Amino acid sequence: MVTFRKKYFNPLYFILNEIIKDKSIRTVLVYGGKSSSKTVSIVQLISKEALVKGSSTIAFRKESAIIKTTLKKSFNLALDTMFIAPAFTKYDLSYKCSNGAEIIMKGLDSEEKAKGIESYKYVYLDELNHFEYLEYEQFELSLRGIEGQKIFASWNPVDENSWVKTELVDKNTFTNTDKFGTLPCPDSFIQISDDRGTVLIRTTYLDNYWIVGSPCGTYGYRDENLIAKYEALRTKNYNSYKVNVLGEWGKTTFGGEFLKQWRSEKHTGLHPYNPKLAVHLIFDENVNPYFPCGFFQVEDDNKSARMVHAIALRNPDNTTKAMGREIIRKLRSWGHEEAVYIGGDATSQKDDVKQEKGHDLFRLMMNELVDFKPRRAVLKSNPSVRVSADFLNEILENQYLGINYSVDKSCRLVIADYENTKEDKNGKVDKKTVTDPATKVSYQPYGHFVDITRYFFVQTFYNEYIQYQKGGVAAPIKLGRNYSKNNY
């Protein structure tokens, strides 16, 4: 009988070891920052399964040329740290276990390489974002015939626009679970899809005991130099820190942003709902890629605005009725009793999200939320895109007239929208579209929450906006249940 000591492994390994016991789980997706033990934990599990259960694995990298300096090094490390290397014969691109199980390493030079994998219990795709979506689909279709087969995949979430996010992560609904254990870092998570077939794990270097040391201090290693370098990125290059350290989705290119003064490191934080304040529900009349709504609150000093929550409903739930249900659920969970204001795009006379002819979006939403006695607060016409953008950028950079703005860090889709919305040659929101490969529907990927935020600031700080245009000083505004409608 083979015995392994707990001190050989990081917490992620034990979570993966529990996941493989669930035969209904087909796909295990692991992403996160650098030095978070993603690859090593997966290959340790694969190696253990080969030795103990005789399960064979085929592991892929996109490029064959770098396998020896990436995957092979990881497998060698796993075998050595588990002290099971003598049980394996090492070849150029494979390992043969003494019980006959194999671990094969391959490059994927064409999607044809994804075929012929039926005899393997596990498939591992290292750096999944380097593969193409069609290649990944081929793996899913080709793996069959063995009970409990699984696809493992790992990657660093560099590009917000990667197909891994848009086609694999975003098109599934995941909820947190502790069924398989928990990770030490509070920013890490383990989630499972609604169909119970996919597990999504995010991890950081704080989950790696060979970077931060084990809690008991008896094993692992604390690398003070590396920790200092990672933490220094927080102020030197926040985007790099977010992607490489926190393991969050980010951007690979900068320049031409619409919100030029938005800084995620400065303008996001913990901003929970405040039961003493009104809620402003601001809509953008849009259905693809989602129907959005931002939940805003303004602090008692009338100058501190916060987005505390956001909803983005995708097909088939991108309707006013579904949106109403979600808003009601959230407001009731908060026990909200203060005022509710509804606003947004003033040109809401299209049929994009309507269920009845002749009723605009705001009237429909007020009908859905009638129990909360919502008040309509919509401008007669939309503000100038360029001027309202300049107004918002001035608030972000200089807290114009004492106004400041921040977003709760849980609103990840909103933050991504702010970071990725570009401006066109006329200084307006870039309306370039992309096409969904599955539905063939064209849509504008970014700019929806940017528009929502512009509407909110002009509607809520109307006097300040007028004064901004004139270059003067605004009179104080009134909010809450005495909110003035004179400007609408």
Side-chain angles (χ1 to χ4, degrees), residues 285-471:
E285 194 170 27
N286 183 74
V287 291
N288 290 302
Y290 48 73
F291 178 22
C293 174
F295 289 58
F296 297 84
Q297 292 189 295
V298 182
E299 297 293 340
D300 292 335
D301 62 5
N302 292 340
K303 295 292 185 179
S304 296
R306 304 286 181 257
M307 183 185 286
V308 298
H309 185 64
I311 295 174
L313 298 182
R314 299 176 185 272
N315 186 57
D317 296 321
N318 49 353
T319 66
T320 52
K321 286 194 174 295
M323 178 63 77
R325 288 194 298 269
E326 282 299 301
I327 292 172
I328 290 170
R329 183 186 64 79
K330 177 54 68 174
L331 293 178
R332 284 178 176 167
S333 74
W334 286 336
H336 185 70
E337 296 180 351
E338 284 295 322
V340 174
Y341 297 102
I342 288 181
D345 186 353
T347 59
S348 61
Q349 300 303 318
K350 305 181 295 298
D351 291 325
D352 289 0
V353 293
K354 295 180 180 58
Q355 296 178 339
E356 301 175 54
K357 294 286 185 180
H359 291 268
D360 65 36
L361 169 63
F362 306 110
R363 174 54 55 191
L364 291 171
M365 291 311 310
M366 291 180 74
N367 289 341
E368 296 295 332
L369 304 174
V370 65
D371 289 349
F372 289 91
K373 299 179 174 60
R375 307 176 186 191
R376 182 168 178 149
V378 185
L379 291 169
K380 294 178 180 178
S381 61
N382 282 335
S384 160
V385 175
R386 187 63 264 160
V387 177
S388 61
D390 290 342
F391 178 58
L392 181 51
N393 276 310
E394 187 69 22
I395 291 170
L396 293 171
E397 183 179 23
N398 297 315
Q399 296 189 4
Y400 177 71
L401 295 181
I403 306 170
N404 62 79
Y405 179 55
S406 191
V407 175
D408 190 82
K409 67 177 186 178
S410 66
C411 302
R412 299 185 185 280
L413 187 62
V414 175
I415 297 167
D417 193 75
Y418 289 175
E419 291 179 339
N420 288 279
T421 300
K422 301 287 188 179
E423 68 176 4
D424 65 15
K425 62 183 179 181
N426 295 311
K428 298 182 178 181
V429 172
D430 190 339
K431 299 289 187 178
K432 289 180 182 176
T433 61
V434 298
T435 301
D436 187 302
T439 64
K440 307 304 180 186
V441 172
S442 295
Y443 60 88
Q444 180 188 332
Y446 299 112
H448 308 297
F449 279 105
V450 163
D451 284 342
I452 278 175
T453 307
R454 288 192 303 106
Y455 302 146
F456 165 75
F457 272 95
V458 174
Q459 291 169 190
T460 308
F461 296 93
Y462 186 80
N463 291 334
E464 281 85 346
Y465 178 66
I466 296 300
Q467 292 302 120
Y468 173 77
Q469 292 177 295
K470 297 177 180 179

Side-chain angles (χ1 to χ4, degrees), residues 95-119:
Y95 299 86
K96 183 83 169 184
C97 187
S98 56
N99 61 14
E102 290 182 310
I103 298 173
I104 307 295
M105 295 171 287
K106 279 190 175 184
L108 195 70
D109 301 317
S110 73
E111 64 182 80
E112 293 299 311
K113 291 283 186 70
K115 298 179 179 179
I117 63 175
E118 298 91 341
S119 61

Side-chain angles (χ1 to χ4, degrees), residues 218-282:
T218 62
Y219 68 101
Y221 172 73
R222 186 169 178 85
D223 191 335
E224 297 288 0
N225 289 330
L226 185 60
I227 293 171
K229 288 180 180 179
Y230 282 169
E231 290 307 309
L233 282 176
R234 189 194 299 267
T235 54
K236 291 181 179 178
N237 185 338
Y238 187 75
N239 183 68
S240 179
Y241 174 79
K242 184 173 73 171
V243 172
N244 293 308
V245 179
L246 298 183
E248 295 181 3
W249 293 99
K251 315 175 47 172
T252 57
T253 59
F254 287 85
E257 286 81 11
F258 186 79
L259 293 185
K260 298 182 183 301
Q261 303 306 324
W262 171 263
R263 300 291 182 269
S264 294
E265 65 274 26
K266 176 182 177 182
H267 297 115
T268 63
L270 294 175
H271 302 294
Y273 160 81
N274 187 334
K276 297 179 180 180
L277 301 177
V279 168
H280 300 252
L281 303 174
I282 311 297

Side-chain angles (χ1 to χ4, degrees), residues 339 341 375 478-485:
Y341 297 102
R375 307 176 186 191
K478 294 182 179 181
L479 297 173
R481 293 201 178 276
N482 295 320
Y483 188 61
S484 173
K485 299 180 182 179

